[in-house]
Amino acid sequence: MGHVFDFRDATHYNEWFLKRRNRFAADLESRLMLGMLDPVAGESVLDIGCGTGASIEPLLERGLDVTGIDPSPYMLDILAQNQGERVSLYRGYAEDLPFDDNSFNHACLFTTLEFVDDPFKALEEAFRVAKDRVFIGFLNRYALTGIGRRVKGIFTPTIYNRATFFSVWEIKSMVRKLMGPVPVCWRTVCQFPGPWAGWMKNIEGSQLVQRFPFGTFAGIVVTLVPRFRTRPLAIRYQPKNVRGVAAGAAGCSGMAPSRGFGNTPR
């Protein structure tokens, strides 16, 4: 089940995104998600662990049919107040999604794996319900900010004490075990901790910079390849009754009979 955000956690989480200094980082993360997922207006997407809707708003702005699911009723309440009827909301867990196979074009896990009990099962479920692409956004284990958060958690209780940090290579390894050699692409943003300026957006938007594996937020997009299950079928065949000589023998009917010993002249 993992960590379920209570009322206090949900309130602090929502307040964090409302602060101006955090909006720049949130915008970079959303841009990375949309750029890698590359959805088309009208397609459906499932936001797994949608929280208060920080990752849902840019999806709605792209014109997508968005469904959100989260185990915290407090998170869902805030999201419902902010987005109203624009989103279909469900309460549930990433490891046990209440949807049929291939129900959505895409699925997103936006800082969700950090707080689930079984990340492997959560990924498996995301791959099951999506049919085109899955975006996995997570807090990078090897980022300077991530290291600082873990050190701070030693001395001060924070929500990050309940989080599991991953690296790009760990997520890719899980994807390969589940899906085999499917196309996988990764990027990172928020490379430079500290105060943000407008010119930083151009640097952070560079694909070359995003290939550095030390950004605070990492994104992986998995392109799903259809897999077909086959089974042998018995072929029922009833041979026709053949009358007369075989075709091969009939083809030799014009040939003269060979002379046997009885025809040998004396």
Side-chain angles (χ1 to χ4, degrees):
M1 181 173 67
H3 176 68
V4 179
F5 283 50
D6 58 21
F7 177 77
R8 184 169 175 269
D9 292 335
T11 303
H12 287 173
Y13 184 86
N14 191 52
E15 290 175 349
W16 186 92
F17 279 99
L18 295 178
K19 294 179 181 179
R20 184 177 179 180
R21 66 173 181 269
N22 297 325
R23 292 302 304 171
F24 183 84
D27 183 59
L28 285 175
E29 295 168 3
S30 298
R31 287 173 179 267
L32 182 70
M33 175 184 67
L34 290 175
M36 298 184 71
L37 196 60
D38 194 24
V40 177
E43 289 184 330
S44 58
V45 57
L46 175 66
D47 191 343
I48 304 169
C50 57
T52 58
S55 55
I56 279 184
E57 186 173 351
L59 296 172
L60 291 172
E61 292 175 353
R62 184 63 70 93
L64 300 173
D65 179 14
V66 183
T67 299
I69 185 169
D70 198 278
S72 170
Y74 306 104
M75 290 284 207
L76 293 175
D77 285 344
I78 296 175
L79 175 54
Q81 293 172 10
N82 294 336
Q83 299 298 341
E85 298 180 355
R86 301 175 66 194
V87 184
S88 300
L89 298 179
Y90 293 82
R91 185 185 178 193
Y93 300 95
E95 298 97 330
D96 186 19
L97 298 176
F99 306 106
D100 293 332
D101 297 358
N102 305 317
S103 294
F104 305 90
N105 292 106
H106 313 293
C108 297
L109 297 113
F110 201 94
T111 59
T112 298
L113 290 183
E114 290 86 341
F115 299 100
V116 301
D117 267 348
D118 191 343
F120 197 83
K121 181 62 177 176
L123 287 176
E124 184 178 34
E125 281 289 274
F127 297 143
R128 180 183 66 81
V129 302
K131 56 186 176 182
D132 293 331
R133 286 180 293 277
V134 173
F135 176 81
I136 309 160
F138 54 97
L139 302 175
N140 188 2
R141 174 192 293 272
Y142 295 124
L144 293 177
T145 303
I147 296 172
R149 285 168 175 167
R150 295 198 299 274
V151 172
K152 182 180 179 181
I154 298 175
F155 306 98
T156 306
T158 69
I159 191 62
Y160 299 111
N161 291 352
R162 303 183 179 95
T164 301
F165 290 77
F166 296 96
S167 69
V168 169
W169 299 277
E170 288 172 324
I171 299 295
K172 285 182 65 176
S173 176
M174 286 192 282
V175 170
R176 295 299 187 201
K177 288 180 181 178
L178 281 168
M179 303 300 292
V182 294
V184 176
C185 179
W186 65 268
R187 298 282 189 274
T188 71
V189 290
C190 303
Q191 308 283 345
F192 310 102
W196 303 101
W199 57 271
M200 289 292 293
K201 183 175 293 187
N202 295 329
I203 296 177
E204 288 282 359
S206 167
Q207 291 193 3
L208 176 62
V209 174
Q210 290 178 359
R211 293 298 294 178
F212 295 164
F214 305 112
T216 301
F217 180 83
I220 287 181
V221 68
V222 181
T223 302
L224 304 178
V225 177
R227 293 191 292 182
F228 302 95
R229 185 176 299 171
T230 61
R231 60 188 179 91
L233 296 176
I235 301 178
R236 297 181 180 179
Y237 173 71
Q238 183 67 35
K240 296 180 180 179
N241 293 328
V242 181
R243 296 181 180 179
V245 251
C252 300
S253 58
M255 297 176 62
S258 61
R259 299 174 63 184
F261 288 110
N263 295 326
T264 303
R266 296 180 180 271

